Amino acid sequence: MKTYPSIFNDVIGPVMRGPSSSHCAASIRIGRMCRDLMDGDIQEVYVEFDPNGSLATTHKGQGSDMGLFGGFLGWEAYEERLPEYLIAIEEAGIQVKIDIHPIGATHPNTYKLTLSNRKESRELTAISTGGGMIEILEIDGAQVSMAGDFYQTLVYVSSPGSIIEFIETSMPCDDIALRTGKSTFIEIKANQFLTAEICAELLQMEEVLFIKKINPVLPVMSRKDLEVPFITCEEMLAFNADKNHALWELAVDYESMRGNISRAEVFEKMRSIVQIMQNSIDLGLKGTKYADRILGPQSLGFQKQLEDKKLVEGDILNQVILYTSAMMEVKSSMGVVVAAPTAGSCGALPGAIIGIGRGLALHEDELVKAMLAAGIIGVFIAAHATFAAEVGGCMAECGSGSGMAAAGIVELKKGTLDQSLGAASMALQSSLGMICDMIADRVEAPCLNRNVMAATNAISCANMALSDYNHLIPLDEVVETMKKVGDAIPNTLRCTGLGGLAITKTAKKIEAMLNQQEQEANKTFFKVC
Ligand code: SF4
């Protein structure tokens, strides 16, 4: 079934805690879907990661274990107890074993899971595709494609008989398909589960064995025959030929059609996201604390130097650096952030938009418009490149955040549509090939300075665009190039911790020290082979 990115699903969101959206938020969604598949009763989980993937080296430090275990417990991505996931999973009596061995995974973020309880054992393979997005690829050896954007009913059968016809005539569904692997089941995607009455009738049929219900995990649902007004920048300009809409209005045009929600609802949803971002920055400015962390609250020192007028002048630029840092520090201390476009790059976009918006004393509506403008740039990236550092390096995370922020800043300054697109193009051009080499498997360094670079690059590119600098390469072609450049970045420099700064002598020392601290805290109770 054809689907398209949603600003709120794929680009600006989820609202979450933890260092990485492609690890914490994605794995919590996978874990929640596993829990539903097991009817809320999980006793044992066998997790397999491929040694050639990113998860083999990052599953613990970047929070995949935390998210996955939280999902098994039915938690949300912003759950306060997430840092206590090991205690909670033990108290829940769920035994987890993690093995790292070849599983033939073709995606770097592949989870192969075997879930058991007293009654049954089920298998599920899923991938995290970046920014908290997921896809379930297999259930019980049968190929599926579930992104968590439908209510999914699985009717397990001994043989399909005429069950599909019965369901088709019983209620409107978006998709009904027979899936065959180690088990045979009929997968039904709809905007609600099969009703209790229909399920009762099905269970009377001798071919029907049992029924499973998997809840959606995304905020914006999909549907059959989903359409969007455009999916490239070129198509957007053609769509706008007789409208003369600003970029933020085009974002509303897109998202209201994508999500089947009103224009006002799109605007207000973005307002609530902007408010969460503002709260997170304000929290970060007060200073943050968290034990399992490399850097302390760097932003406090910056704030002091700024107040004492000891920094190179540039009030708004410095405010953006401060806000970006504060947001990153909230993330690193397990506070609530919005992945925008990812948790690792959650600082640049809000740091720039809110820093400039407050610096210029703009009304909140202007921040919402800027964030919408940034969101539609992110849609093009999500549709034609990636936000996953495991696939496209830091270019995919901070580079994308920079391109999105640049377009939003032009919107704040009431620039033209062409200037917004030019700013995004230049900011992305400046970010091509940026590697991901986080230190000690924590999404803190060089992530903090990369976010600051992304935010300040966005300001430079917005100002260049507002002065009509010629960006030469159209945005669509830059996004296509991001995809090709990402494919050319070696695996060691794509969020595996196997290259770049991550393998410097100092980084290795930091890593050893953190591991030592962790062992002393005796936090590890599950076996990693
Ligand atoms: S280096 Fe960039 S891509 Fe890698 S974890 Fe840090 S912010 Fe994310």
Side-chain angles (χ1 to χ4, degrees), residues 47-51 55-56 59 65 98-103 110-111:
V47 185
E48 293 164 89
F49 294 134
D50 198 294
L55 289 165
H59 67 94
D65 293 352
I98 299 179
D99 245 348
I100 294 165
H101 62 183
I103 55 170
T110 301
Y111 295 76

Side-chain angles (χ1 to χ4, degrees), residues 20 62 328 342-345 389 393-398 434-438 442-448 450-451 495:
S20 159
Q62 291 210 35
M328 289 299 288
T342 65
S345 58
C394 199
M395 163 185 68
E397 293 202 18
C398 290
M434 198 153 63
I435 61 170
C436 171
D437 53 350
M438 77 274 154
R442 307 296 193 277
V443 187
E444 278 191 86
C447 315
L448 173 58
R450 293 247 168 94
N451 272 263
C495 204

